[in-house]
Amino acid sequence: AQSVTQPDIHITVSEGASLELRCNYSYGATPYLFWYVQSPGQGLQLLLKYFSGDTLVQGIKGFEAEFKRSQSSFNLRKPSVHWSDAAEYFCAVAPSNDYKLIFGAGTTVTVRA
Amino acid sequence: GAVVSQHPSRVICKSGTSVKIECRSLDFQATTMFWYRQFPKQSLMLMATSNEGSKATYEQGVEKDKFLINHASLTLSTLTVTSAHPEDSSFYICSARDHGQTSYEQYFGPGTRLTVT
């Protein structure tokens, strides 16, 4: 069965420091990959997505992610975090033959001053 | 563009009553909408896929008679929680696919917080 793993439940990072959130998926073919962010009590906002092509994807709010087929990973990065980046981050996968999204458990990011 | 709204944003109801949550795509047509449930500090769990003009497809373990889904138009899907009980209290989020796009992207609504007393 397809699955998405976000190994880090909670990450604390200092404002201005870099951030990397890990995501690994289990699927036979290359799926469609997404990163979403959720602020407390809110819906999800798409940060970026990968369907094909360049494996380094640029998103909104200064985020980027790199697809590595050999590692079945799609890690999210930001060079310098802002206090407003404190939120819950979800990696999601859509198998190429299905429109359903499979979500990882999420990573909570706390930003300290 | 690609805005999805949900109404209400918060609702409190008494145990045994029914609650209807609306999900609307405001600037696009959505033949497919999805309903998710999210418990505190947890991920989103897909409950069902709602297809315009046909019956919803429920995920394993989701009671179709308890969570009634209707997708009567290309811009509106509703989720009715029937005979609600405190264990139904949760955050319900809908999403929609743009009928005019071939991408797999889903656009999410802001969610509805249901509290059953």
Side-chain angles (χ1 to χ4, degrees):
Chain A
Q2 302 95 354
S3 65
V4 180
T5 302
Q6 293 181 245
D8 305 303
I9 296 173
H10 192 177
I11 287 180
T12 299
V13 61
S14 297
E15 191 169 16
S18 63
L19 174 69
E20 181 168 16
L21 304 181
R22 295 182 290 166
C23 174
N24 293 93
Y25 64 89
S26 172
Y27 183 60
T30 299
Y32 301 103
L33 300 159
F34 305 84
W35 273 100
Y36 287 90
V37 61
Q38 183 181 34
S39 296
Q42 303 295 314
L44 274 68
Q45 181 181 24
L46 179 68
L47 287 175
L48 46 78
K49 60 191 176 188
Y50 173 78
F51 291 163
S52 64
D54 193 346
T55 56
L56 185 62
V57 181
Q58 301 298 319
I60 63 171
K61 303 185 178 186
F63 284 93
E64 66 177 27
E66 185 172 13
F67 168 61
K68 292 186 177 180
R69 186 191 307 274
S70 61
Q71 299 177 17
S72 296
S73 69
F74 189 55
N75 294 347
L76 181 72
R77 298 193 292 257
K78 184 169 184 176
S80 177
V81 299
H82 186 261
W83 64 265
S84 60
D85 293 322
E88 188 80 13
Y89 291 80
F90 293 99
C91 179
V93 162
S96 55
N97 61 349
D98 196 340
Y99 290 117
K100 296 179 186 178
L101 284 179
I102 302 168
F103 283 87
T107 298
T108 302
V109 173
T110 299
V111 180
R112 59 180 175 226
Chain B
V3 177
V4 175
S5 70
Q6 279 184 246
H7 179 80
S9 58
R10 290 177 177 271
V11 57
I12 300 173
C13 70
K14 292 184 184 295
S15 186
T17 62
S18 296
V19 175
K20 180 184 286 187
I21 302 170
E22 294 185 347
C23 177
R24 292 182 185 273
S25 56
L26 298 185
D27 49 4
F28 64 98
Q29 294 183 327
T31 50
T32 305
M33 290 183 171
F34 302 87
W35 287 96
Y36 296 85
R37 184 173 181 177
Q38 186 180 30
F39 291 103
K41 305 287 187 185
Q42 294 189 27
S43 188
L44 281 73
M45 180 191 78
L46 178 65
M47 299 174 65
T49 302
S50 169
N51 296 296
E52 186 266 337
S54 64
K55 291 184 178 180
T57 303
Y58 291 82
E59 295 300 302
Q60 192 171 5
V62 178
E63 299 176 61
K64 61 180 68 176
D65 294 330
K66 180 165 190 61
F67 297 100
L68 300 179
I69 291 172
N70 184 274
H71 193 156
S73 78
L74 285 173
T75 59
L76 173 65
S77 175
T78 60
L79 168 68
T80 301
V81 183
T82 63
S83 187
H85 291 283
E87 57 265 31
D88 299 324
S89 298
S90 191
F91 194 53
Y92 293 88
I93 303 176
C94 73
S95 70
R97 279 194 61 246
D98 188 336
H99 173 66
Q101 292 188 10
T102 56
S103 77
Y104 286 66
E105 185 172 347
Q106 294 180 20
Y107 303 99
F108 285 82
T112 296
R113 173 78 58 195
L114 169 63
T115 303
V116 184
T117 61

